Amino acid sequence: MALPIESRIRDLLSEFLARSGGDVTGVVLSRGDGLPVAYVLPTGDPKLVSAMWALAAGSLKRLGEELKIGSSRYAILTYEHKNLIVYRVKDLYLLALANPNANLGLILLEMERLQTKISEII
């Protein structure tokens, strides 16, 4: 019997974390309306993270429209203690917390691969 979609996605997220070699410490797959689909997040509330990202995504969408530059594909936000990398997966958002000195290029490559795998499921 096949696993439910949420379990299959959570397995993919766990695999992504393992492949990051410790550079990525948490990941959330969030719907555009602010609800989490699946997550592996040791710190923070995934429901709040998803809801807050929906607010930010709305502002970024509006900014892209105003500047007539289209939709965003990914974003890297650098905070004092972590990086937040957000990658769009169809109408979902993949949010990854990465260490400050992480190899962002490698993480983006892995996120692109993860996006393809998730797209095959949803």
Side-chain angles (χ1 to χ4, degrees), residues 5-94:
I5 289 174
E6 183 181 343
S7 295
R8 291 169 53 199
I9 292 174
R10 192 175 305 118
D11 289 347
L12 288 174
L13 298 181
S14 294
E15 181 183 306
F16 167 68
L17 287 174
R19 290 177 61 88
S20 79
D23 278 346
V24 177
T25 59
V27 62
V28 176
L29 182 64
S30 178
R31 294 180 359 185
D33 64 2
L35 295 174
V37 174
Y39 53 88
V40 179
L41 193 64
T43 60
D45 179 352
K47 291 178 183 176
L48 181 60
V49 169
S50 293
M52 295 300 292
W53 174 252
L55 290 172
S59 294
L60 291 174
K61 179 181 178 187
R62 174 82 194 274
L63 180 61
E65 290 168 355
E66 180 64 30
L67 294 172
K68 296 177 182 23
I69 56 176
S71 299
S72 64
R73 293 184 5 215
Y74 69 88
I76 301 171
L77 304 167
T78 303
Y79 289 85
E80 186 176 355
H81 301 291
K82 293 279 184 184
N83 292 313
L84 176 62
I85 304 141
V86 183
Y87 204 99
R88 201 172 74 221
V89 180
K90 293 187 178 182
D91 59 343
L92 303 173
Y93 295 94
L94 185 62

